[in-house]
Amino acid sequence: MSNENEAFESQFVEDATSLILDPKHPGLGDVEYLKRREHFFALAREYRLADKGVPRVEYTDNDRFVWREVCAKLKPIHEAKACKMYLEGRKILQIPTEDTPQLADLSAEIKELTGFGIAPAEGLINFRDFFGYLARGKMLCTQYLRHHSKPGYTPEPDMVHDVLGHVPFLVNQEYVDYVRLVGRASQLASDEQLVAFNRLYWFGIEFGLIEEQGEIKVFGAGLLSSIGEMEFCYSDEVTRLPFDIFDVTQRDYDPTQMQQVVYVIPSVGEMRKQTEELIRKFGLDASLAS
Ligand SMILES: [Fe+2]
């Protein structure tokens, strides 16, 4: 059961300096798509490394088709399953569903509301660097779209995942303060401790469910940006466990498969409390406070 989680597979490897696509990428035979993907790679890398903000980019009819298709399919599932924090963020940002949004505009609006920002990502970024951006109040987001031949699938992170999964949360102060804390702690972490923060991010921010007035709603960006995962996570094939950070950080995950185990977070505040305990356990609290 392979799916778009493969996007996360190589978060620990060094960042590529030129575009390398997965052999299963549906755009591989499309010269025009590859040219544009290379353009997006180079542009994001240039802006990211020089800290130049987010470039404005032109989208094609194929990109807009993908965006419209995915937005239309996700809409009813989000209305039924997405958590309140996500739906409120979507409402505040008014992310367009008929036309591809510009990251630059979203970033400016988020900045006004919570002080957080967006930095462009050329593709996968290794975890320590990724967390470093969170520590500095920035979420790395991709600006390109998956190939139009398969709107429901991508082997790499794309704008659907980043903008429809992560971005709506960035207007919530409690949320951005939390991911910033995780980012800051991870910058002080040993390699072994970083694995724990990686798992925390995976099972919480990417694939967490959340309790809301007696119901279990979808919180994680990896779930919210995938029709298949959102349906699967409620099925009998999945074990749903109460969120316990010491259990979470002991558990390995397979990014190439649908998630067989997910955690239900009581609230972002509770996840933060448990994260603070982990930070203390790792002996990072004193350095964090200074
Ligand atoms: Fe993500």
Side-chain angles (χ1 to χ4, degrees), residues 12 127-128 131 186 189-198:
F12 278 114
F127 241 97
R128 198 177 284 278
F131 280 135
S186 72
S190 66
D191 286 350
E192 201 183 318
Q193 291 169 341
L194 189 66
V195 173
F197 286 113
N198 177 9

Side-chain angles (χ1 to χ4, degrees), residues 201-238:
Y201 193 86
W202 179 266
F203 287 111
I205 299 298
E206 294 288 0
F207 287 95
L209 294 170
I210 196 162
E211 275 177 40
E212 256 176 32
Q213 288 150 346
E215 280 190 89
I216 294 178
K217 296 287 189 171
V218 182
F219 174 78
L223 298 172
L224 287 161
S225 56
S226 163
I227 297 156
E229 284 277 9
M230 261 191 295
E231 283 167 355
F232 186 66
C233 74
Y234 285 97
S235 77
D236 292 344
E237 289 174 70
V238 175

Side-chain angles (χ1 to χ4, degrees), residues 8 11 130 139-140 157 161-162 165-166 201 205-206 221-222 225:
F8 304 94
Q11 302 245 19
F130 180 83
M139 173 68 79
L140 283 171
H161 171 71
D162 288 328
H166 289 290
Y201 193 86
I205 299 298
E206 294 288 0
S225 56

